[in-house]
Amino acid sequence: AQTVTQSQPEMSVQEAETVTLSCTYDTSENNYYLFWYKQPPSRQMILVIRQEAYKQQNATENRFSVNFQKAAKSFSLKISDSQLGDTAMYFCAFMKRYNDMRFGAGTRLTVKP
Amino acid sequence: DGGITQSPKYLFRKEGQNVTLSCEQNLNHDAMYWYRQDPGQGLRLIYYSQIVNDFQKGDIAEGYSVSREKKESFPLTVTSAQKNPTAFYLCASGVEQFFGPGTRLTVL
């Protein structure tokens, strides 16, 4: 079974600085997807970024980027120029092709003014 | 506007009652999913459906049932067999898992 581990239950960062959230996963699959989701206090789950395992290039979305290390089974999220609105729970997730999504326990990020 | 909706936002149930949570999407997605989230935890998969009239159990399907009679709809029934149903329930659709706003179920 696939497992996803987020080793940082809580993190904080000063506004405008950069923070990196860690995620590791365990799988024997070769083809899969990895995701980072943001869950603000409203509890709406918002897709931040997605990475296909067959792509070597790291995904980026504006201030959000990932460091995908397939051999190490690592998928960290870097948030640049942190904003107060980035304060939320962040979940790393793993999915085999089109089914069986697995989520980590989450990292609570607080951006301080 | 395309999107995914869940209703109701809050639901209260007496012990021994079955309740049904609604999930509707107009994104033309084949795949739909139900998750449960407990306080301070990540999401756990209850059921998923890749196509109409077909669905599979996730990790915690016991005490739950689903149907997928239409592409747009994937209702979840929480039965009286579910021992601890108080939780936040999230529905999602599509490979990228677009999520609805969630339903907070409380057993009185």
Side-chain angles (χ1 to χ4, degrees), chain A residues 37 39 44 50 98 102, chain B residues 37 59 95-97 99:
Chain A
Y37 288 91
Q39 188 178 43
Q44 174 78 52
R50 161 186 163 160
Y98 308 125
R102 301 287 171 143
Chain B
Q37 186 178 29
D59 293 329
V95 173
E96 290 191 351
Q97 309 271 302
F99 282 85

Side-chain angles (χ1 to χ4, degrees), chain B residues 2-47:
Chain B
I4 180 166
T5 59
Q6 291 184 243
S7 61
K9 187 173 182 179
Y10 299 97
L11 185 58
F12 297 90
R13 188 194 93 173
K14 293 181 180 179
E15 284 193 24
Q17 285 183 336
N18 292 355
V19 290
T20 298
L21 283 60
S22 169
C23 178
E24 304 277 334
Q25 55 99 0
N26 60 4
L27 299 166
N28 201 33
H29 289 155
D30 287 315
M32 296 187 75
Y33 308 80
W34 273 107
Y35 295 92
R36 170 179 172 141
Q37 186 178 29
D38 291 286
Q41 297 186 29
L43 280 63
R44 292 182 291 168
L45 182 65
I46 305 172
Y47 268 98

Side-chain angles (χ1 to χ4, degrees), chain A residues 21-108:
Chain A
L21 309 183
S22 301
C23 174
T24 59
Y25 57 94
D26 183 27
T27 185
S28 58
E29 301 284 335
N30 193 44
N31 296 316
Y32 50 87
Y33 298 88
L34 294 161
F35 304 83
W36 276 100
Y37 288 91
K38 170 184 177 180
Q39 188 178 43
S42 67
R43 305 197 75 174
Q44 174 78 52
M45 290 287 283
I46 302 165
L47 177 66
V48 174
I49 202 164
R50 161 186 163 160
Q51 175 84 41
E52 291 89 346
Y54 66 86
K55 289 186 178 179
Q56 293 187 348
Q57 186 174 6
N58 289 323
T60 63
E61 284 289 341
N62 301 315
R63 297 183 295 107
F64 299 88
S65 62
V66 297
N67 183 3
F68 174 46
Q69 301 290 329
K70 191 173 183 179
K73 297 180 182 176
S74 171
F75 184 61
S76 61
L77 175 70
K78 185 171 82 172
I79 306 174
S80 304
D81 186 25
S82 297
Q83 301 176 359
L84 296 178
D86 295 334
T87 291
M89 285 289 291
Y90 286 82
F91 292 97
C92 178
F94 168 100
M95 185 171 71
K96 293 187 296 185
R97 286 188 180 183
Y98 308 125
N99 61 29
D100 200 13
M101 184 81 120
R102 301 287 171 143
F103 286 81
T107 296
R108 183 177 302 280

Side-chain angles (χ1 to χ4, degrees), chain B residues 25 28-32 52 68-74:
Chain B
Q25 55 99 0
N28 201 33
H29 289 155
D30 287 315
M32 296 187 75
V52 174
R68 187 83 186 278
E69 297 176 1
K70 298 186 300 181
K71 188 175 187 178
E72 300 80 16
S73 179
F74 191 41

